[in-house]
Amino acid sequence: MSLAAEAAAGFPAARADVLLALLREAAADGHVPDLDAAAAALAELPPRTLVALDAAARQPGAAREFAGGVKSRRGLLGQGHLALLALLAMDENGGIREEAVVRLAARPGRLAAAMLALRSDDWAEPVRRRARVGLMWRLDPDEAAAVVPILDLRRGRSRAEGISDVYRDAYRAAHLPARRHGPARDLAASPTPPLRRFGHELARGLGISDDKELLRIALRDRDHACRSAAGHELLRRLRGRHRDRAALALLRVDDAGVRERAVEALPPMSDPRPLASALADRSPAVRAAARGRLVAGGTDPASAYRALLDKPPGRGLVPGLLIGLGECGREHDLAELHAHLDADEPAYRRAARAGAVALTRTWLPEEHGDR
């Protein structure tokens, strides 16, 4: 197996051990073409593979097979080749990692930026601090494209300490004074979800996403996090009738939190038809919020469910309406639910059973006392 073959296979993360051996073999030869090939391979690694490679490289004793003891490996730092610096930035020895990070901070390009991002949550505080300082200068869009996916993978780790937000703020501050919005737009259009999320966050912070764009993102973006963030931002911005129209449109978003907030943003309603999808929503919180809008408008939710079931706006809403009726109906509504227990559609039967269970729990007396 060769580096070229691994590249053709897409550098799978499951083969990190094999890839590490090939990279170290190329680096150990010391020939510039081999080092260049190793650097090129490292620069093309998918973020998950780079993280897996880092874990494999820092196994105790693994580095000695590459270049001997600590003194020998530290001597390689003086050669200054990017491939050697990248490999030594993943060394098991914290001092070597720190020196490699210092040298990488002075080198331009995607590989150096990616390695700094990888070390930004290093367990050794000096390494972590130096990597973070160097990372704040890596604001070229090409470098950001290498940094952001790695930071996204490390998000939530205790030592990450919000580095994603710190980097985003640094990127935003660098582009805000001159109003250079092109990088933010380019990142927001990226096919890579972490980059697109980062670009959308920048665009919202820079104020270059208008309401129409936010609605388009909330309804159509391929990434769930992008859709949710755009929906919440749109609801935060809008006022008056524009807010009402946007809130009704956001009832089609697949994030239940956005749908619930959209319902709560609507004015009190007496007509249940505009709220039909929310009253039949798969989320109990959204259904409850929709019933709250009806109560505020002076309409009894149970009567609204009866009216909608009498003439359903759509067959797909019937199961949700049955469950909703069970949540707020009266004892006599049990007949309506029982009528659907023999329906041809399995979804109707399941919903009617769930609605009947919910309804009986509301009016059956609780059992008390000893048996």
Side-chain angles (χ1 to χ4, degrees):
M1 187 63 70
S2 65
L3 285 175
E6 292 294 322
F11 293 120
R15 293 180 60 78
D17 290 338
V18 174
L19 178 60
L20 179 64
L22 290 170
L23 290 168
R24 284 177 166 171
E25 181 182 347
D29 289 342
H31 301 304
V32 173
D34 293 331
L35 291 172
D36 290 343
L42 283 164
E44 293 299 318
L45 292 186
R48 289 190 182 278
T49 303
L50 187 57
V51 169
L53 191 75
D54 178 50
R58 288 187 293 110
Q59 292 296 319
R64 287 193 291 274
E65 301 175 6
F66 163 46
V70 172
K71 185 176 181 180
S72 299
R73 301 200 302 279
R74 184 169 280 119
L76 293 177
L77 290 166
Q79 296 185 26
H81 196 283
L82 192 56
L84 293 174
L85 295 178
L87 286 169
L88 292 169
M90 298 183 286
D91 196 89
E92 66 185 77
N93 181 275
I96 292 178
R97 292 201 306 277
E98 182 178 0
E99 189 171 345
V101 163
V102 170
R103 292 172 181 267
L104 284 167
R107 303 292 292 270
R110 288 173 56 93
L111 178 54
M115 298 311 301
L116 290 173
L118 192 65
R119 294 274 67 83
S120 67
D121 72 338
D122 195 278
W123 68 269
E125 195 276 335
V127 179
R128 186 166 66 246
R129 183 179 67 251
R130 290 184 181 277
R132 285 167 173 251
V133 171
L135 197 60
M136 293 306 106
W137 296 95
R138 302 298 177 148
L139 303 175
D140 180 87
D142 190 52
E143 292 177 321
V147 168
V148 172
I150 295 175
L151 296 184
D152 188 69
L153 283 176
R154 315 305 269 176
R155 191 189 299 268
R157 288 166 59 94
S158 60
R159 291 188 297 271
E161 298 173 351
I163 183 61
S164 296
D165 296 331
V166 173
Y167 183 74
R168 182 201 63 226
D169 292 343
Y171 199 96
R172 175 186 173 187
H175 292 85
L176 184 58
R179 308 301 292 178
R180 294 195 296 271
H181 296 157
R185 294 189 185 280
D186 291 344
L187 289 167
S190 170
T192 305
L195 287 175
R196 201 158 66 253
R197 288 195 290 270
F198 185 77
H200 286 320
E201 289 175 357
L202 285 174
R204 291 193 299 273
L206 293 169
I208 59 177
S209 293
D210 59 23
D211 297 344
K212 186 179 293 186
E213 176 69 6
L214 287 172
L215 182 59
R216 184 195 66 77
I217 295 168
L219 294 176
R220 300 179 185 173
D221 197 275
R222 298 185 299 276
D223 183 67
H224 175 79
C226 289
R227 292 193 301 271
S228 300
H232 284 297
E233 174 66 13
L234 184 58
L235 288 167
R236 186 188 68 81
R237 286 187 187 182
L238 294 177
R239 298 291 184 273
R241 288 177 297 175
H242 296 295
R243 181 186 175 97
D244 297 345
R245 286 198 294 269
L248 287 172
L250 288 172
L251 295 179
R252 305 196 303 272
V253 174
D254 63 356
D255 186 308
V258 173
R259 295 198 305 276
E260 181 183 1
R261 211 177 141 195
V263 171
E264 291 170 346
L266 291 169
M269 290 188 176
S270 57
D271 181 6
R273 294 277 160 175
L275 284 173
S277 63
L279 289 166
D281 198 274
R282 62 182 179 274
S283 166
V286 177
R287 295 195 300 269
R291 292 195 290 270
R293 293 294 82 201
L294 290 177
V295 170
T299 297
D300 174 44
S303 65
Y305 277 111
R306 294 183 203 111
L308 290 171
L309 282 168
D310 185 49
K311 293 183 180 179
R315 294 183 61 81
L317 296 181
V318 172
L321 293 173
L322 291 169
I323 293 175
L325 179 61
E327 291 171 332
C328 68
R330 307 290 185 269
E331 185 175 347
H332 58 79
D333 290 315
L334 201 57
E336 174 73 22
L337 297 170
H338 284 169
H340 288 83
L341 290 176
D342 296 324
D344 294 335
E345 297 86 343
Y348 286 25
R349 297 197 298 270
R350 289 193 297 268
R353 189 177 302 111
V357 169
L359 179 57
T360 53
R361 282 176 178 167
T362 64
W363 57 264
L364 280 178
E366 294 185 9
E367 294 185 2
H368 296 286
D370 298 330
R371 295 193 173 208

